[in-house]
């Protein structure tokens, strides 16, 4: 967030928690991107604050968390001291979560696969209206095909991303027999090592698709421990995943740190994934 927006987010989180009876003497920025995560002390709450345009996404995330908590899924939970919902303050969406102190524990590929399988099993027990992952690919495709939004893309790279987000994504989505609810982005940054064991966070990306789409976000080696994973489908899902990542990096408005490096890296990973499934 811009400095002024971050100050608004901090004040919105502070005021919301205080009105709910939680003591806030200090606010620590845990993560700052389009949404900001703040640790409120001494009540020790994690406040997630989103801009006005993401109110629906924040409400969706809270609903996903509520339903997964009911089936004992390995996810970070909402703070039990307040009503589990989104609070709107100064136009910003504020949700309050349990803060989990990080522990110095390495999550091995086998442990990663185990917690992801448990997450998928819990998601199969949840009834929820969620978009298909191909809807996300379609949004990324619109960024790629709009030259005003992505003016720096070369014709060859634009064609690569368009084919992957269009043709490869559509081919995966044509077969819905393996689809189920997914986390959506279960990468390392969204899996916390805690005293309760590994817990997934950032649930707003929940979508439908094959489990291989989730596995595509996991570190190398995890899929080897996930029973029944289809290697070819995994490579195709990785190609689509990296194509979405690259599409966001090539937007004129993207602000990701070290963006130029990630632009090049994203395209290289798309090509590598397509090569592994014979689609380069």
């Amino acid at each position: 967030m811009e400095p002024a927006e971050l100050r608004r987010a901090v004040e919105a989180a502070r005021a919301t928690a205080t009105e709910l009876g939680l003591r806030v003497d200090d606010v620590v920025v845990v993560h700052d991107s389009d949404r900001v995560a703040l640790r409120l002390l001494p009540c020790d709450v994690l406040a997630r604050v989103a801009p006005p345009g993401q109110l629906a996404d924040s409400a969706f995330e809270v609903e996903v968390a509520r339903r997964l908590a009911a089936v004992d899924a390995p996810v970070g939970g909402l703070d039990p001291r307040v009503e589990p919902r989104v609070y709107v303050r100064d136009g910003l969406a504020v949700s309050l979560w349990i803060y989990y102190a990080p522990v110095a524990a390495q999550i091995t590929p086998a442990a990663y696969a185990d917690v992801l399988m448990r997450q998928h099993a819990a998601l199969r027990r949840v009834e929820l209206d969620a978009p298909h992952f191909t809807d996300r690919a379609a949004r990324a495709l619109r960024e790629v095909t709009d030259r005003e939004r992505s003016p720096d893309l070369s014709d060859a790279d634009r064609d690569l991303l368009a084919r992957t987000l269009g043709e490869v994504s559509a081919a995966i989505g044509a077969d819905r027999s393996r689809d189920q609810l997914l986390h959506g982005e279960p990468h390392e940054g969204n899996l916390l090592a805690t005293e309760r064991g590994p817990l997934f966070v950032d649930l707003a990306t929940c979508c439908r698709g094959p489990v291989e789409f989730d596995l595509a976000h996991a570190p190398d080696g995890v899929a080897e421990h996930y029973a029944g994973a289809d290697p070819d489908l995994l490579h195709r899902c990785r190609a689509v995943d990296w194509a979405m990542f690259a599409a966001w990096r090539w937007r004129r408005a993207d602000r990701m740190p070290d963006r130029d490096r990630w632009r090049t890296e994203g395209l290289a990973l798309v090509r590598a994934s397509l090569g592994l499934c014979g689609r380069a």
Side-chain angles (χ1 to χ4, degrees):
M1 289 185 174
E2 294 292 337
E5 295 172 337
L6 180 58
R7 287 193 294 272
R8 282 182 61 211
V10 168
E11 289 310 309
R14 185 196 301 272
T16 299
T18 300
E19 283 193 1
L20 292 169
L22 301 173
R23 182 179 169 187
V24 183
D25 296 335
D26 192 20
V27 180
V28 179
V29 178
V30 176
H31 181 71
D32 180 13
S33 60
D34 56 334
R35 294 190 296 171
V36 63
L38 306 166
R39 185 183 183 187
L40 310 183
L41 295 167
C43 62
D44 219 12
V45 168
L46 185 76
R48 294 174 65 86
V49 186
Q54 296 187 27
L55 175 59
D57 290 343
S58 295
F60 177 70
E61 180 178 36
V62 166
E63 184 61 23
V64 173
R66 289 181 61 253
R67 298 195 184 200
L68 285 176
V71 294
D72 198 27
V75 296
L78 294 154
D79 192 289
R81 292 171 289 182
V82 299
E83 184 182 349
R85 67 178 181 87
V86 173
Y87 300 83
V88 179
R89 166 80 58 166
D90 192 19
L92 302 173
V94 181
S95 53
L96 302 177
W97 304 76
I98 297 171
Y99 176 79
Y100 299 94
V103 299
Q106 183 181 9
I107 302 175
T108 65
Y112 207 117
D114 176 72
V115 70
L116 187 55
M117 283 189 284
R118 288 191 288 117
Q119 173 78 336
H120 287 158
L123 284 162
R124 286 193 290 271
R125 298 172 60 192
V126 169
E127 290 294 331
L128 189 69
D129 184 17
H132 198 267
F133 86 88
T134 52
D135 297 334
R136 289 167 55 186
R139 289 197 299 271
L141 179 60
R142 288 193 290 272
E143 299 291 330
V144 169
T145 55
D146 188 331
R147 292 179 180 272
E148 291 188 2
R149 294 187 182 183
S150 52
D152 298 332
L153 265 173
S154 69
D155 289 343
D157 292 338
R158 194 182 304 276
D159 179 67
L160 170 72
L161 294 180
R163 283 191 296 108
T164 306
L165 294 167
E167 297 172 13
V168 179
S169 175
I172 298 170
D175 179 8
R176 303 289 173 102
S177 62
R178 299 171 65 93
D179 283 2
Q180 69 152 80
L181 275 177
L182 305 172
H183 177 285
E185 290 186 2
H187 53 67
E188 290 176 282
N190 285 337
L191 183 60
L192 304 181
T194 76
E195 292 182 352
R196 287 185 49 199
L199 298 176
F200 284 109
V201 295
D202 201 356
L203 306 173
T205 55
C206 181
C207 60
R208 292 191 176 275
V211 296
E212 286 80 2
F213 183 75
D214 265 0
L215 281 168
H217 292 78
D220 291 340
V222 172
E224 298 173 10
H225 300 276
Y226 194 107
D230 181 326
D232 180 71
L233 180 54
L234 175 60
H235 293 317
R236 286 185 285 150
C237 285
R238 277 190 177 139
V240 173
D241 173 35
W242 283 116
M244 288 192 292
F245 175 84
W248 303 133
R249 303 293 74 79
W250 283 94
R251 289 180 303 164
R252 184 202 299 271
D254 187 61
R255 298 177 181 175
M256 183 174 182
D258 205 10
R259 182 183 70 171
D260 290 344
R261 179 174 73 86
W262 284 115
R263 282 179 166 186
T264 303
E265 185 74 6
L267 291 169
L269 289 165
V270 173
R271 290 188 173 92
S273 298
L274 290 174
L276 289 170
C277 60
R279 290 176 176 264

